[in-house]
Amino acid sequence: QVQLVESGGGLVQPGGSLRLSCAASGSISRANAVGWYRQAPGKQRDVVAIITSRGDTNYADSVKGRFTISRDNAKNTVYLQMNSLKPEDTAVFYCNMQGYRTDWGDYHNYWGRGTQVTVSS
């Protein structure tokens, strides 16, 4: 069992920046990919950015050029730097681990509880 804890959310004005962190209780190097998803009220949960175990990154078109995902394997932490924030970025942001290899030889997916990001003037 792996726990993911997000932090860094808050209220910012349009054009501002936030840096989200996701601290994992397990080794993120055991996961095929880690990433960030977001969900606005009444909307589905959509991918924002992912980074694979090989270091490849993928971004939603709406955040390309504004958001940057990174990781620190030694700290078992994933980051999301968000710049030039827009009101439409407002959502609960969730950390996700895909294909985490357990000590029992199987693979699990894990989600954090989420952190609120609100972009408003």
Side-chain angles (χ1 to χ4, degrees), residues 51-72:
I51 182 167
T52 72
S53 61
R54 294 182 296 273
D56 300 318
T57 58
N58 295 281
Y59 297 91
D61 288 340
S62 60
V63 308
K64 287 182 178 178
R66 300 189 297 121
F67 292 8
T68 303
I69 188 171
S70 62
R71 69 187 181 199
D72 187 332

Side-chain angles (χ1 to χ4, degrees), residues 2-9 19-26 28 35-36 75-80 93-97 110-116:
V2 173
Q3 294 182 3
L4 305 175
V5 181
E6 303 97 334
S7 62
R19 181 179 174 87
L20 305 183
S21 297
C22 172
S25 63
I28 63 174
W36 292 92
K75 296 182 178 180
N76 292 317
T77 302
V78 184
Y79 305 96
L80 185 68
F93 282 68
Y94 297 91
C95 183
N96 169 256
M97 296 180 63
Y110 297 101
W111 292 93
R113 294 179 180 178
T115 185
Q116 178 70 49

Side-chain angles (χ1 to χ4, degrees), residues 16-39:
S17 298
L18 284 174
R19 181 179 174 87
L20 305 183
S21 297
C22 172
S25 63
S27 298
I28 63 174
S29 62
R30 284 187 149 191
N32 289 331
V34 293
W36 292 92
Y37 293 69
R38 65 185 178 187
Q39 186 170 22

